[in-house]
Amino acid sequence: MSPDDRKYTQEHEWVMVDPAAVGTAIAGITEYAQDQLGDIVFFELPKVGDAVAHLGKMGEVESVKAVSDLFSPINGTVTEINEKLLDHPELVNEDPFGEGWLIKVAMTDVAELDALMSSQDYDAFIAGL
Amino acid sequence: MTATRLNTSGTNGDHFQSHYIPSTVDEQAEMLAALGIDSIDQLFADIPDEFRNPTLDLPAPLSELEIQQELGQMAGKNRPMGSGPSFLGAGAYNHFIPAIVKALITRGEFLTAYTPYQAEASQGTLQVIYEFQTLICNLYDMEVANAGMYDGATSLAEATLMACRVTKREKVALADSISPAYIDVIRTYCQSQDIVVEVVDPTNPSLDGETACLVLQYPNYFGYIEDQQKLVDAAHAQGALAVVSCDPTAMGMLQTPGHYGADIVTGDGQPLGIPASYGGPYVGLFAAKQEFIRQMPSRLSGRTVDKNGKTGYVLTLQTREQHIRRERATSNICTNEALYALASTIYLAAMGKQGMRQVAELCYHKAHYAAAQIGELPGYSLPISGSFFQEFVVQCPTSPTEINKKLMERNILGGLDVSEKVPNGMLLCVTEMNSKEDIDALVAALSEFK
Amino acid sequence: MQQGGNRKTEKLLLQRSVPGRVGVVLPGLDVPTQPMPDDSMLRNELALPELSEPEVVQYFTGLSLKNFSIDTHFYPLGSCTMKYNPKINDEIAFQPGFAGIHPMQPVEQSQGALELLHKLQGFLGEITGLPGISLATLAGAHGELGGMLMIRAHHLANGETGRLKVAIPDSAHGTNPASAAMAGFEVVELASDKDGNVDLDALRSVAGPDLAGVMITLPSTLGLFDTNIVEVCNIVHEAGGLVYGDGANMNALLGRVKLGDLGFDVCHLNLHKTFSTPHGGGGPGAGPVCCTEQLAPYLAAPMVTQNGDAYDLFTPEKSIGKLSGFHGNFGVLVRAYTYIRTLGNAGIKSISGNAVLSANYMMNALRGVYHLPYDRTCMHEAVFSADLQKERGSSGLEIAKRLLDYGFHAPTMYFPMIVHEALMIEPTESETKETIDAFIQALIDIDREVTEDTELVNNAPHTTPVARLDEARAARQIDIDREVTEDTELVNNAPHTTPVARLDEARAARQPDLRWQPETAD
């Protein structure tokens, strides 16, 4: 069961409102995504200040034998990236919904979150894959 | 027992029993029976009839005995560097190769092994690559080196492409004192990538904020040592990378490109235990600063542990390479020159700290002795000033090509005719393979031209 | 896995080094010493080992014993053509008359070498039916780059600046799209149909004015001869494009068909596959480019010409330029020449006949035990899927690792990418029927083990010098500490005959440890 305090995309990202910062969202990849990727070894993340677009490519994630694109779930500007992932990319394997968050984004429009999948919709989506 | 004379008619007999192919007529029949067919030809039924079984017109096969004779005669029509004094360099060098190099690289376990994609079955190869990476880093004072490229020219060309990726710029500046063949290869690699190639004067290189890298050769093509620090700094002042193609033998005594701050260092490993072999196979050397590691081409061997904690080696950061990234790979390189990376590793291990310094100093002193002697000859001069290592240019009284013909009458292989760069210029190379007698003979022969 | 010798190999060269030991003795200086450059131009420390000659020989010999190789093991790697590498080829290549010549010597001094190259050009032209040959490219991928640059040059010369797309089957080897991208093209993926052929409708949909050409491997990486290949070439030509052939699988076609006859415009060959030159642990190779008369002016320099009795090097009039420093991997070319001279017409045909017979014999014996995604006559290799075994809790990877315990090198795994749990097996013509039968039996036994003792299979290999390696660790841990510390013992003193477990690849990728430094901790 995916956590119900956040929303999801078909590219297996999650996004939630940052309780500590008004207008900011936190985003990451899901448990399903990290399981598909296998042992993650490296992230190429956007820089603070970069603009990101809904379902636009924002970086890459490398596992031992594969590279996958990372897509932003929402529109906005990057305010923070998870620096711990530089030295410990495996955090995303271990705790994709918590310590393994990827970026924080100043959202262009909070209402965008409404259009994304709920946790139940997402669980149904991955069950069908 | 019937003598097995080879089918020398050259036409398709149904059965040709090659000594490389074990299956006999009977064994083929067993396999065909298992498949329920009558002839091997039926397995090729998918080939359109009109194109199947074309006429082939290759020469009749030779037995191994005849191969030795015929190929021996062919080899006899060439004049190898070892058969007399030889003073030719210009990118391929006449250096001593210890006997153990060939003895070890011809071991079947090295010679006939595949690329080490299956780590557990290739620990020998992978540990050798790790050693190669370590020693090349130490030779050049750089932080990371790969498992090798094809040769010095392609290594340098890939370095320019890498500099463009790293800086996200599209112009490369090549010093006009680098090898013309290297310039040609760089142009070929850059032609399809919208990269502008400029040739600049290393005494005053014109660089700007669009330049991805300044490319130098150290020592340069003519053997001379340019002001490395000044050139590296000039590149960095523009936010460009300093890419240096550096002779590994010179590293036995000269200051390293890493010390001067070079960002990418390439070279040709041929001087390190590899024969000249008419231009190949060699091995390209490639080293860089750690921060650029994900933009590096070719394989990397990394040390790790197995599930019991025992040290082992694997190919790592494979996500840079073609078999994973395909069209977004850092390079298309797959097969490189692993056996010759092994040869260079063995050479460096045997020569070691002392041997490399000795070789470098032997080359240096002999070359300077030769240059001094030739410079004294009437009609000859040394037109290029500055320090040099093992190669230098002399200006001759007449065409170096004509001089070389006369030298060969005395079984002396002279230097390269570089008249297009220096009028009647000859690029001479003197190494540890040239005795004082060799050098004196060269000087005496040259003195006959005035 | 052979476990010969008792020389330990865990310690690296710099850890074995003892100050004062000498591995090579050189002659003393016999000319007067010359003024040295300024100190500032001389290097400081040179961190190379100091070892005696016997130590160097023992160390590297010990390392060699940790390798699988054709000489020691059946090595049925699909698409690699791991055939016997004849020793006479090496002997010929090592002769001073070949190994000791300098590429820049005046051509009068290398006529024997040039004659060999010229004749080899002719042989390869005869075999492929494509007469324009450049021997200058140093590996298959290098040849691909050359061929694709030629296609680019051809279109530009015709004023066709819009032909920027190259279509490549989804089953293609990774070098194909990588080479096309390096040559400045955009890659369009072509689907394969259910028979493993190029999907003609998919091809027609991209065969337009922006198509520069296609890259086709024949037989395909699935080991199958595309029954529509002539139509594929026609479609591309009618659209104004050119057909590039990846010749990696030529072992199946020698003497059976000429690529030029089928409509290919340009191809490369892998001499280190089809023509028996040794793989060397990853090279050297040679990837000559063969093309039609029409494309020959664009070939990479140099080529070899003949005028009467004399041979010379020349640059084709519209050459794409040099792709290598000198003339090509001459030492490899000598071996291929010698191989072809040993075989002649009948021998060349015998290679493909036996290679294809052995592959089909093996495929037939394993049908039903392993899933065959394309159940039709194969060429020199057969692609199986380990899907049936995956359902029982194993996988292609595990089976491949378990084969190591049976003394067989694993077949090519997870390639081509369009086959799930792929195992690509290429026996070659130089293996005995006994070996092939033993290999078939091993795969049958492992299939039974998957059912009866899955754990044994999934933790293999058990008998190789290292077990499964931690690849994630090798990539995660970048050791950048430069403080000098005490010299640390690398590993425990286990003898090197101890089986090695599975290696940690994640670790290798997360913290890459790519060179030994004195402070490298174990």
Side-chain angles (χ1 to χ4, degrees):
Chain A
M1 277 300 309
S2 303
D4 60 11
D5 58 353
R6 60 198 75 195
K7 293 304 207 69
Y8 298 84
T9 71
Q10 290 193 344
E11 297 296 341
H12 309 289
E13 284 98 21
W14 56 262
V15 57
M16 62 190 282
V17 170
D18 186 351
V22 174
T24 303
I26 313 178
I29 63 172
T30 65
E31 166 68 34
Y32 178 85
Q34 74 76 25
D35 183 62
Q36 289 291 301
L37 286 166
D39 288 321
I40 295 172
V41 302
F42 184 76
F43 281 97
E44 191 190 291
L45 295 174
K47 294 187 197 23
V48 171
D50 282 352
V52 290
H54 170 61
L55 295 185
K57 180 177 166 180
M58 68 171 186
E60 290 179 348
V61 52
E62 286 180 23
S63 60
V64 172
K65 298 281 204 228
V67 182
S68 297
D69 290 334
L70 288 171
F71 300 94
S72 173
I74 53 167
N75 293 307
T77 310
V78 178
T79 57
E80 203 181 325
I81 62 172
N82 188 348
E83 305 268 343
K84 284 194 208 152
L85 299 182
L86 290 174
D87 289 328
H88 296 286
E90 66 272 18
L91 278 174
V92 178
N93 290 119
E94 291 161 10
D95 188 12
F97 290 119
E99 288 285 307
W101 64 271
L102 296 183
I103 58 170
K104 293 187 182 175
V105 177
M107 288 185 279
T108 311
D109 181 0
V110 181
E112 278 179 29
L113 294 178
D114 299 339
L116 302 179
M117 284 191 270
S118 67
S119 62
Q120 296 97 303
D121 290 342
Y122 179 68
D123 286 340
F125 169 62
I126 56 178
L129 285 173
Chain B
M1 172 179 123
T2 50
T4 320
R5 184 72 182 110
L6 287 171
N7 176 0
T8 56
S9 67
T11 54
N12 351 330
D14 273 344
H15 187 75
F16 177 85
Q17 191 68 45
S18 160
H19 53 304
Y20 298 149
I21 302 175
S23 291
T24 62
V25 184
D26 293 340
E27 288 171 318
Q28 287 178 350
E30 280 180 55
M31 290 195 265
L32 289 168
L35 294 172
I37 58 177
D38 298 316
S39 79
I40 288 175
D41 200 50
Q42 288 173 257
L43 294 169
F44 292 95
D46 282 339
I47 300 176
D49 289 343
E50 65 267 38
F51 300 125
R52 195 172 346 123
N53 296 328
T55 314
L56 215 50
D57 185 23
L58 298 170
L62 298 176
S63 65
E64 184 167 314
L65 182 161
E66 292 162 310
I67 289 273
Q68 287 180 341
Q69 289 166 349
E70 185 163 308
L71 276 281
Q73 276 165 23
M74 235 179 201
K77 295 182 194 168
N78 305 319
R79 190 276 188 193
M81 290 203 284
S83 72
S86 298
F87 297 94
L88 183 53
Y93 297 93
N94 184 24
H95 286 300
F96 168 67
I97 301 174
I100 66 167
V101 174
K102 180 163 162 242
L104 289 164
I105 69 173
T106 51
R107 289 186 66 83
E109 300 92 333
F110 281 137
L111 187 65
T112 70
Y114 185 61
T115 315
Y117 292 118
Q118 273 280 14
E120 295 83 3
S122 319
Q123 287 298 291
T125 297
L126 287 166
Q127 189 167 334
V128 166
I129 297 172
Y130 184 86
E131 293 276 30
F132 177 75
Q133 289 165 186
T134 300
L135 298 184
I136 296 302
C137 282
N138 292 355
L139 203 60
Y140 285 147
D141 269 340
M142 297 298 287
E143 291 170 329
V144 60
N146 68 19
M149 312 289 288
Y150 303 133
D151 64 2
T154 55
S155 209
L156 189 58
E158 293 253 21
T160 63
L161 300 182
M162 176 171 156
C164 292
R165 288 195 294 276
V166 167
T167 59
K168 299 190 180 13
R169 298 178 181 180
E170 293 178 335
K171 187 164 69 175
V172 302
L174 314 182
D176 63 19
S177 52
I178 75 175
S179 154
Y182 285 19
I183 293 178
D184 195 333
V185 173
I186 292 170
R187 286 194 192 282
T188 309
Y189 269 72
C190 289
Q191 70 186 265
S192 54
Q193 305 227 355
D194 292 330
I195 294 173
V196 172
V197 177
E198 286 183 351
V199 178
V200 301
D201 175 357
T203 60
N204 186 18
S206 57
L207 312 171
D208 59 32
E210 303 298 308
T211 311
C213 59
L214 172 61
V215 179
L216 315 169
Q217 192 172 344
Y218 169 42
N220 70 21
Y221 178 64
F222 303 99
Y224 294 85
I225 299 164
E226 291 157 348
D227 187 336
Q228 298 299 304
Q229 194 64 69
K230 180 165 156 241
L231 288 163
V232 169
D233 292 345
H236 290 163
Q238 296 292 344
L241 299 190
V243 175
V244 181
S245 174
C246 179
D247 174 61
T249 308
M251 292 293 94
M253 72 182 251
L254 295 181
Q255 185 54 276
T256 63
H259 169 85
Y260 292 120
D263 299 286
I264 306 174
V265 179
T266 65
D268 202 309
Q270 181 271 324
L272 306 176
I274 301 171
S277 194
Y278 209 48
Y282 297 163
V283 59
L285 310 177
F286 197 109
K289 287 182 175 165
Q290 183 78 33
E291 65 191 274
F292 303 132
I293 193 173
R294 285 193 141 75
Q295 291 302 326
M296 279 181 71
S298 192
R299 283 185 282 286
L300 291 166
S301 173
R303 203 158 67 114
T304 184
V305 291
D306 74 7
K307 69 174 201 278
N308 298 327
K310 186 170 170 159
T311 292
Y313 299 85
V314 292
L315 291 180
T316 193
L317 302 183
Q318 293 187 70
T319 45
R320 296 161 304 115
E321 297 187 72
Q322 48 78 26
H323 54 291
I324 292 176
R325 267 216 203 236
R326 299 172 75 86
E327 66 266 22
R328 297 188 298 175
T330 51
S331 165
N332 68 345
I333 191 167
C334 180
T335 296
N336 56 355
E337 307 281 333
L339 191 74
Y340 289 98
L342 167 65
S344 292
T345 309
I346 295 166
Y347 176 88
L348 288 170
M351 296 291 278
K353 168 190 294 224
Q354 303 302 338
M356 287 303 287
R357 206 187 72 238
Q358 282 170 11
V359 160
E361 288 181 1
L362 285 168
C363 294
Y364 179 88
H365 289 292
K366 289 175 188 256
H368 284 72
Y369 169 74
Q373 299 287 308
I374 296 170
E376 303 277 295
L377 295 175
Y380 290 85
S381 63
L382 301 167
I384 302 180
S385 61
S387 302
F388 61 92
F389 173 56
Q390 63 182 350
E391 293 182 275
F392 55 94
V393 175
V394 297
Q395 191 153 40
C396 303
T398 183
S399 153
T401 297
E402 293 310 308
I403 293 177
N404 278 332
K405 288 185 181 146
K406 292 292 187 189
L407 289 177
M408 188 44 66
E409 287 169 14
R410 299 181 189 207
N411 197 24
I412 297 174
L413 176 59
L416 189 69
D417 186 334
V418 291
S419 299
E420 73 276 7
K421 295 277 194 173
V422 174
N424 286 339
M426 181 188 284
L427 174 57
L428 282 161
C429 179
V430 186
T431 71
E432 77 280 12
M433 299 295 282
N434 301 115
S435 65
K436 181 173 182 294
E437 287 69 38
D438 285 350
I439 300 169
D440 292 342
L442 170 69
V443 174
L446 289 175
S447 70
E448 300 191 2
F449 299 88
K450 298 191 202 311
Chain C
M1 185 66 212
Q2 79 279 28
Q3 310 287 354
N6 71 346
R7 303 285 186 190
K8 299 199 200 318
T9 54
E10 287 81 10
K11 273 186 157 182
L12 296 166
L13 290 165
L14 286 165
Q15 294 178 293
R16 299 161 176 264
S17 179
V18 174
R21 287 191 184 159
V22 157
V24 170
V25 168
L26 293 162
L29 185 62
D30 57 356
V31 301
T33 51
Q34 306 290 311
M36 287 286 271
D38 187 77
D39 258 0
S40 65
M41 294 175 70
L42 302 178
R43 73 175 301 148
N44 312 314
E45 177 68 10
L46 176 52
L48 291 179
E50 293 176 86
L51 295 165
S52 65
E53 180 174 319
E55 294 174 86
V56 175
V57 172
Q58 288 150 18
Y59 176 61
F60 284 96
T61 302
L63 288 179
S64 78
L65 298 176
K66 288 174 153 179
N67 269 358
F68 277 61
S69 62
I70 300 172
D71 281 359
T72 57
H73 291 80
F74 179 44
Y75 218 129
L77 269 182
S79 252
C80 300
T81 310
M82 301 300 282
K83 64 170 72 184
Y84 171 65
N85 306 144
K87 304 311 175 191
I88 183 63
N89 297 351
D90 299 325
E91 185 176 289
I92 298 296
F94 286 136
Q95 293 174 103
F98 287 144
I101 43 177
H102 189 295
M104 304 299 279
Q105 285 180 245
V107 292
E108 309 86 73
Q109 297 170 20
S110 53
Q111 286 293 297
L114 291 167
E115 177 188 348
L116 185 149
L117 294 176
H118 189 260
K119 288 183 168 156
L120 180 62
Q121 285 174 180
F123 296 165
L124 299 182
E126 178 66 17
I127 288 169
T128 58
L130 292 166
I133 311 283
S134 169
L135 301 172
T137 33
L138 306 170
H142 207 212
E144 287 172 24
L145 178 61
M148 297 315 288
L149 286 173
M150 288 167 64
I151 290 178
R152 175 180 180 273
H154 163 84
H155 289 311
L156 288 178
N158 289 339
E160 300 229 51
T161 52
R163 290 196 182 267
L164 298 171
K165 292 198 170 125
V166 168
I168 303 177
D170 49 12
S171 57
H173 191 272
T175 54
N176 287 184
S179 302
M182 277 179 90
F185 293 111
E186 184 193 323
V187 174
V188 174
E189 206 174 71
L190 270 181
S192 305
D193 67 16
K194 61 172 175 44
D195 298 317
N197 295 327
V198 168
D199 185 316
L200 291 178
D201 288 332
L203 177 60
R204 286 190 189 99
S205 74
V206 298
D210 59 353
L211 184 72
V214 296
M215 295 178 84
I216 303 288
T217 307
L218 190 73
S220 71
T221 60
L222 300 165
L224 304 170
F225 190 91
D226 191 322
T227 45
N228 300 321
I229 188 63
V230 175
E231 183 61 10
V232 166
C233 294
N234 286 341
I235 292 170
V236 174
H237 288 149
E238 274 158 29
L242 294 175
V243 181
Y244 181 87
D246 180 331
N249 289 336
M250 187 59 89
N251 213 45
L253 302 182
L254 290 174
R256 304 288 161 174
V257 69
K258 296 188 181 184
L259 291 183
D261 291 347
L262 293 171
F264 283 83
D265 298 291
V266 53
C267 77
H268 79 270
L269 296 171
N270 298 66
L271 301 190
H272 47 296
K273 295 185 182 196
T274 316
F275 293 90
S276 86
T277 74
H279 275 86
V289 176
C290 316
C291 69
T292 56
E293 292 284 4
Q294 188 198 20
L295 287 177
Y298 299 105
L299 284 163
M303 293 173 62
V304 182
T305 46
Q306 183 182 21
N307 279 322
D309 279 336
Y311 297 92
D312 202 351
L313 294 164
F314 87 106
T315 297
E317 55 181 280
K318 301 185 208 167
S319 172
I320 53 173
K322 284 177 69 64
L323 272 172
S324 51
F326 294 109
H327 318 323
N329 271 349
F330 180 72
V332 177
L333 300 169
V334 170
R335 288 171 168 84
Y337 176 87
T338 307
Y339 185 66
I340 296 171
R341 291 299 277 117
T342 304
L343 288 161
N345 295 335
I348 287 286
K349 246 188 122 166
S350 178
I351 293 172
S352 56
N354 282 285
V356 171
L357 176 60
S358 294
N360 277 282
Y361 172 74
M362 184 200 58
M363 181 179 79
N364 184 61
L366 292 169
R367 180 186 282 113
V369 182
Y370 291 86
H371 173 58
L372 262 182
Y374 303 93
D375 196 348
R376 49 178 275 214
T377 302
C378 67
M379 292 280 95
H380 62 314
E381 62 194 4
V383 178
F384 291 92
S385 162
D387 265 348
L388 299 175
Q389 288 71 21
K390 182 129 184 155
E391 282 165 21
R392 283 180 264 141
S394 189
S395 78
L397 175 76
E398 323 289 3
I399 291 164
K401 303 276 182 191
R402 182 64 180 142
L403 270 170
L404 297 175
D405 289 332
Y406 278 77
F408 294 113
H409 189 284
T412 302
M413 295 189 301
Y414 299 112
F415 182 79
M417 289 166 19
I418 58 173
V419 172
H420 223 232
E421 298 293 318
L423 287 168
M424 182 161 55
I425 308 175
E426 179 183 353
T428 82
E429 75 284 1
S430 62
E431 294 295 337
T432 63
K433 186 167 172 295
E434 304 91 271
T435 301
I436 296 172
D437 285 334
F439 183 72
I440 290 167
Q441 191 57 50
L443 277 174
I444 291 173
D445 290 344
I446 292 172
D447 171 66
R448 202 190 56 246
E449 283 174 359
V450 168
T451 304
E452 293 172 8
D453 189 353
T454 323
E455 270 311 292
L456 181 69
V457 177
N458 289 0
N459 281 316
H462 304 282
T463 58
T464 49
V466 295
R468 229 175 258 212
L469 288 155
D470 183 348
E471 291 187 20
R473 171 181 147 154
R476 276 195 189 128
Q477 243 167 24
I478 300 178
D479 192 321
I480 55 173
D481 182 6
R482 311 203 109 242
E483 298 293 309
V484 175
T485 59
E486 291 177 312
D487 190 11
T488 332
E489 269 291 305
L490 251 194
V491 296
N492 57 53
N493 284 313
H496 91 233
T497 55
T498 300
V500 183
R502 218 169 265 209
L503 291 157
D504 186 348
E505 290 191 33
R507 174 173 153 161
R510 285 177 185 150
Q511 290 139 65
D513 172 353
L514 304 171
R515 65 177 174 120
W516 187 82
Q517 297 172 78
E519 60 285 351
T520 298
D522 176 27

